[in-house]
Amino acid sequence: AVDMNVTIVGPGALGCLFAARLAIAGNTVWLYDRDKARAAYIGDQGIVLQTSTGEQRVPILCTADSRVIGRTDLIVLCVKSHDLAMALRQLRPLLTDDALLIALQNGIGHHGAMQAAGRAFAVGVTAQGGTLAGIGKVVHGGSGQTVLGYLSEVSKQKLTLLHSVAELFNAADLPTVVSGKILNAIWDKLVVNVGINALTAIHDCRNGELLADPLLISEQRAAVQEAANVAAAKGIILSGDPEEITAKVCVATANNVSSMLQDIRKGRRTEIDAINGSIVRAGKRLGIATPVNEKLVAAVKAIELKVARANNN
Ligand code: KPL
């Protein structure tokens, strides 16, 4: 069996799920949370993991001070895309040459920050579904596969290391594979998120409800098509027809409140810049029109602003 000291960064749904599963499997796991009071609370209470078979309280080491963590072999970054650069600064004491960083953020907007950190890193994409039901409390909806890979050629040793991480995750009931074409997998998910997240946030509806309205279906298709055009121009190979796949995910996750709608409902900043925003930015660079995604970005930003104002009053 693989033996690694693991640090999970960010106490969101994904961070709590990965930390809990890895701890249950017997690994030494630290959860890093930049919020001191919340870190103390989670350290005291543990993580509460709720699945279809029941609820489990999982003791966890949690801290807001990265200096207390000590040697770590693996750092899994589960913060939102827009918090990644700050997290990397706060984690500096842990960023040794021996520690492998894995970034699980949506989209591609954070790859620059990862490269700037100057360490060997892998990126990943996960179809694990989780919802945060309170501080340190995660409801594990559907289990899905996690795909890990490097953005560029690496040594055989680094590749072996990533396979060991996949083994560690699999042993913790987190189904994981290593891919030599990770960008394709990231874009497969990005294109689906482009077609679902913003529309559910704007229309305050569950994923499945998007398919009940012909106008929303055509808007979804147009947004996804723009993303697919950008992907094609970048040489990305998607795994199938993007509009069809997006509609299928709407059916498979019909009852889900998308992560973006969850963010809006909780008054948090959304990942609109990392999702639809990244399509607009890449489109501009490549000379590809993205009017539907521009409209979706503007609409979600307007809602974010309204929510922020309401919270300040
Ligand atoms: O990944 C998702 C998200 O909510 O961010 C989908 C696939 C849309 C499921 O809700």
Side-chain angles (χ1 to χ4, degrees):
V2 189
D3 186 20
M4 287 188 185
N5 290 337
V6 186
T7 301
I8 305 288
V9 182
L14 205 59
C16 284
L17 175 67
F18 273 67
R21 285 269 188 243
L22 288 163
I24 291 168
N27 300 287
T28 302
V29 182
W30 276 96
L31 178 61
Y32 174 81
D33 179 357
R34 71 184 150 101
D35 184 304
K36 228 174 168 171
R38 196 171 53 195
Y41 178 87
I42 297 174
D44 280 348
Q45 305 284 313
I47 292 170
V48 177
L49 175 64
Q50 203 178 309
T51 66
S52 55
T53 56
E55 197 176 278
Q56 189 175 359
R57 188 176 294 277
V58 185
I60 201 88
L61 299 162
C62 191
T63 182
D65 182 354
S66 58
R67 289 167 305 183
V68 309
I69 292 176
R71 190 183 72 92
T72 192
D73 305 302
L74 174 65
I75 302 169
V76 187
L77 298 155
C78 298
V79 297
K80 294 266 165 140
S81 178
H82 47 257
D83 288 328
L84 191 79
M86 184 181 30
L88 287 171
R89 283 196 297 278
Q90 290 161 337
L91 294 168
R92 211 166 275 152
L94 298 178
L95 305 183
T96 64
D97 283 335
D98 298 328
L100 178 66
L101 279 165
I102 297 187
L104 288 182
Q105 286 62 34
N106 273 323
I108 48 166
H110 57 288
H111 292 174
M114 293 300 294
Q115 261 137 8
R119 307 273 162 189
F121 68 91
V123 295
V125 61
T126 183
Q128 290 285 3
T131 307
L132 208 58
I135 295 174
K137 182 169 184 178
V138 59
V139 182
H140 190 196
S143 186
Q145 199 175 51
T146 299
V147 187
L148 303 177
Y150 294 103
L151 289 176
S152 49
E153 288 283 317
V154 292
S155 63
K156 208 162 175 187
Q157 189 192 355
K158 287 253 153 60
L159 200 57
T160 305
L161 179 62
L162 198 59
H163 279 282
S164 305
V165 172
E167 205 180 304
L168 184 90
F169 285 2
N170 279 310
D173 206 12
L174 298 162
T176 303
V177 295
V178 174
S179 167
K181 302 205 159 63
I182 189 67
L183 264 185
N184 292 350
I186 289 173
W187 273 86
D188 272 332
K189 183 173 185 209
L190 178 56
V191 165
V192 168
N193 286 137
V194 161
I196 299 179
N197 291 31
L199 283 170
T200 54
I202 294 163
H203 298 280
D204 192 28
C205 66
R206 288 175 189 263
N207 295 353
E209 290 174 78
L210 292 178
L211 299 181
D213 182 336
L215 277 178
L216 294 184
I217 294 176
S218 62
E219 208 173 349
Q220 171 174 86
R221 286 196 180 141
V224 164
Q225 193 51 58
E226 289 177 5
N229 293 344
V230 169
K234 287 173 81 80
I236 302 290
I237 296 160
L238 299 173
S239 66
D241 178 78
E243 294 172 31
E244 224 169 84
I245 292 172
T246 308
K248 274 198 184 132
V249 173
C250 277
V251 174
T253 65
N255 260 323
N256 272 34
V257 174
S258 78
S259 56
M260 197 172 287
L261 180 52
Q262 288 181 47
D263 287 339
I264 291 288
R265 287 185 177 169
K266 292 192 172 138
R268 289 188 304 234
R269 182 175 167 191
T270 72
E271 289 194 295
I272 189 70
D273 283 327
I275 299 175
N276 306 76
S278 74
I279 302 303
V280 174
R281 287 192 304 275
K284 286 220 165 82
R285 274 197 305 275
L286 296 161
I288 292 170
T290 59
V292 176
N293 279 287
E294 274 173 43
K295 196 178 122 195
L296 293 173
V297 170
V300 170
K301 294 220 167 193
I303 296 169
E304 277 182 343
L305 207 62
K306 209 167 92 187
V307 172
R309 285 210 182 106
N311 285 345
N312 282 336
N313 288 335

